[in-house]
Every structure is written in structure tokens, then in C-alpha cells.
Amino acid sequence: MAQQTEIILYHYPYSPYAKRIVWYLNLRGIPYTQCLQPPILPRPDVVAIGTSYRRIPIVAIGRDIYNDTRLILSKLEILYPSHKRISTSDPEKQALERLLENWAVDGGLFVRASQLLPSSLPLLKDPRFTKDREDYTGRSWTKENMDRGRPEALVEIRRAFELLETTLLADGRDWILGTEGPGLGDIEAIWPFHWLITLKEALPPSYISAKDFPKVFAWVARFHKAATESAKTCGKPKTITGKEAVAIIERSEFVEVEGEVEAGDPLGLAKGDTVEVWPTDSGFNHKDRGSLVSLCGREVVIESKTEGGTTVRVHAPRHGFRVKSAGGGGTKL
Ligand SMILES: N[C@@H](CCC(=O)N[C@@H](CS)C(=O)NCC(=O)O)C(=O)O
């Protein structure tokens, strides 16, 4: 079902998180359509599809809306089995894929990388942008605070370069898990490094350079070339407006069958309960609210409506998100 349904990616192209999804889709040759978003709120196109989630990217497949790249990647793995595979089936390497994801997303790598955005960047001089990012992260984005956080962030990021240079990439392999071509493991690990290396003035060459970390820099260049080639092969994605996107969603079917609330889930919630769902690491001021469709250790799904009143299902990963009863339905606790 999903195979025939248009994938709509809500993103802005310089989002490093969105790149994870674009690279993945292109490397697997899965076609998608994009609905480009502004870098700051408001995003009426996103509100229109029935989610209050404020982060980018978001993926809609039919009437299923997926928030957070970790869930999006795992869904694309399941929903598109017949396209070229880039993930590993070796359990030891699968563990590495997941640990690399955890390292980059939860392990502080992304937060430290974002602290290295050069304060000379025009966006960082725009008070609308810095205020927006304060809402997103809960920390100050003033020039003084950015500059103050930079030395510590540089030390952490250098440690990350060192780790890859002296371990996974130490034997001179092309791809991080020793695969034939670029794989999911590369995507899981590379995006903060790619972001920093390709962002002018983020890394001071006297402290972090290709001279110090030749293998990491070469890996990023190699990946960039492969990703650019695969994007060329796939061709430019179709770009649609928010109105076109919501119309596609509203006339689609669900691509997943309705799930259940897992028996024994420690929250004690029941199907149909009104719940709020939100990420706990960033973007926490924007909560989705709806009736609980399904809940398990991997994901939470709630029912919501598009602005035109069509029912959609909003999916979020369980990890990194809070699910809380909002008082409606048949909560047991
Ligand atoms: N854990 C989330 C993080 C997503 C995230 O933080 N994305 C950034 C863009 S790179 C964002 O949303 N920034 C604030 C914004 O654009 O509103 C994921 O994996 O998707």
C-alpha cells in the first residue's frame, strides 16, 4: 500500500536532520515529494495536516503523519521493503547503527554541533530566528551565550572526530560499517560531521582539520559525492504547496493498519483516551493532543484532524517523547 502512496517530506533543505531523510530516500531510490517550510514558526502547512509538532522534518504517507527522523527511518525500512536495501542484516552491525543514531541524536553530538553555528551567520543576527530557537531548545541563543558555549562544544566535537578516526574508520575503510556502498550506518553517524564540515567557519582549522582527521574528512567528502550522485540519479523531487499537500493527504487512505495499546504498558492508558504527546529534548512547548490509537515500546499513535476535518494518525517514537493523559476517554489510572 505505502509503495504506491506519495511520500510528502516537510522540510527545509539546510536542516541537517532533514538531510538524513533525503539521503536515505535517494540512496534507496525511493521517490518523494517535498513541501518546503520556513526555517522558523509559524508553519501553517504543518498545522493544516493536524500536528502541533514543531520540528523538521515531518513525513506524511497517505493519512499517516510521522514525526522525528528516528521513527521516519524505521518506518521507511518497513514500508518500502522492495527498494534497494542500505541497512545491514548483521545483528552486530545493527547494534552499531542504533548506537550511532543514539550517539548523534541523544549523546550530545547534535547539541554540541549546533553550539558551533558561527555567530557571524546572518540568521543568528535575526532576533526572530534566535527567539524561535530559544522556544525550540529552551536555551539562550544570544551572541554572547553562543560565543561562551563554543570552546566546550569544540572540545566535545573534536573528541567525536577522534573517536571515528581512531576506531571505526581507522582501518581505512570507505564506509563506516565496512559495507560495499554508503549505508544506513553512515547516515546515522555522518550528519553532524557533514553539517559542520560544510558550514563555513564552524570548525577552526587550527583545532579540527583534514590534517588532524584525514579519514573522517575523506569519509564525509566520499559520502557527499555519493549522496550528490544518487540525488542526480533520482532527479529533483516534485515540490508542492501546503494546500496541495493537505489535499493529497485528505484524499488518501491510511498506509498502516490500526494498532492497539500494548497490554501491560506502564502508563496504563486505554485506546480512545485523550492524550498529549510531545518531545522532551527540544520542541517541548508544542504538544500534540488527540485520541490514543496505539501505544507500544516503539511508538505512540494518536488520531487528529486536518484543517479540513479529515481524520489522520500522527505517529511519534516512544523514545524521547512523553505521553500523558489529557483527561478524556477511559483512562484506567
Ligand atoms: N529528534 C528530532 C530532531 C529534529 C530537529 O531538531 N530538527 C531541527 C531542524 S535540523 C528543528 O526542528 N529545528 C527547529 C525548527 O526548525 O523548528 C529528529 O530526529 O527528527
Side-chain angles (χ1 to χ4, degrees), residues 12 14-21 38-41 43 53-58 67-72 105-106 110 129 132-133 135-137 191 195 279 281-283 317 321:
Y12 46 89
Y14 59 85
S15 153
Y17 274 105
K19 285 207 168 85
R20 281 159 55 74
I21 305 301
I40 59 172
L41 300 185
R43 296 193 182 114
Y53 182 71
R54 72 142 297 165
R55 305 192 298 193
I56 290 292
I58 293 170
N67 293 335
D68 197 289
T69 59
R70 292 166 290 191
L71 182 73
I72 296 168
V105 179
D106 293 308
F110 169 68
F129 181 82
D132 179 87
R133 287 316 191 251
D135 168 72
Y136 156 67
T137 58
W191 57 281
W195 188 29
D281 56 344
S282 64
F321 281 64

